[in-house]
Each structure stands twice: as structure tokens, then as C-alpha cells.
Amino acid sequence: MVTNTSGKKKTAVARATVSDGTGKVRINSQPVELVEPEQSRLKMLEPFRIAEADLREDIDIDVEISGGGFAGQADAARTAIARGLVQHNNDAELRDAYLSFDRSLLVNDVRQSESKKWGGPGARARYQKSYR
């Protein structure tokens, strides 16, 4: 059985394909062990640490990530992997464990950075005004 899921964070979009296999996790066609920085790798593998240990051995996960920076991509991949595991195993207990740990494992973070406006250096900040 093959399951397709997605995850989003800021402008990063991750699409995960979960299928029966031998425990390989690939991010953009390379093994997850090669992902740098290490903080991103640990974030992407978080769904496996919460679930039981033998869950990873019998599935393969391919994740394609585009957009965003390394932190946003890691969060998007984490959401896509967790959703894929819940959907592939059809496990309500696993779903509840993810929700009690961190809701963003199963629910996209919809927050986006606010766009810059005229009259200032950023979204809300204004240029200083001189009176003398």
C-alpha cells in the first residue's frame, strides 16, 4: 500500500510517499542520515521517536521538499512523515500520541511572514522622523 501526504511550514512544502519496504527514509532522494544540519535531521526523525521502535523497519518513506529554509523544511518534512505514518498504519492510538506530544506533527502551521509595506524598513516598523 502507498500513502501520499504533505506538510507545510512558512513557504516550505514537503510531499511524503510512504510505502511498504525495509526502513529507508530519503529526503530529496538522499538518505536522511546525510541531512545537514543535525538539528534538522533530528526534527525530521521525531515522529519515529514518539512511535514504537519497530515501526520504521517495515516501511520506506520518500520526502520531496521545496521552498523555505532549512528550519521550515525540517518542520514541513516532520509533519508529512507523521501524517504518512498515521495514514499508512490507520492507527488512532499513534494519532493521539502525536497530538498529545505536539499538534504541529499532524496539523500544518499556517503562519506566514507579513509582507513589507511602503514607508518603513519592514512590515510594521516605520522610518524615524526628525523634528529638528
Side-chain angles (χ1 to χ4, degrees), residues 27-97:
I27 309 291
N28 289 338
S29 301
Q30 70 176 14
V32 72
E33 288 77 20
L34 300 178
V35 172
E36 287 296 325
E38 185 184 3
Q39 183 179 358
S40 294
R41 182 179 337 118
L42 295 174
K43 194 95 168 161
M44 289 176 189
L45 293 176
E46 218 166 52
F48 294 111
R49 284 200 299 281
I50 297 162
E52 55 266 11
D54 60 333
L55 185 65
R56 186 174 170 179
E57 274 84 58
D58 49 344
I59 56 171
D60 283 347
I61 300 179
D62 288 315
V63 183
E64 293 298 321
I65 313 173
S66 61
F70 69 88
Q73 286 188 351
D75 278 336
R78 167 185 187 241
T79 300
I81 289 170
R83 280 182 175 176
L85 291 173
V86 168
Q87 224 174 62
H88 188 76
N89 295 325
N90 203 11
D91 190 355
E93 198 173 295
L94 180 62
R95 182 179 183 279
D96 293 339

Side-chain angles (χ1 to χ4, degrees), residues 110-121:
V110 297
R111 295 175 297 171
Q112 294 281 329
S113 62
E114 192 173 344
S115 60
K116 181 193 176 301
K117 282 90 175 181
W118 54 272

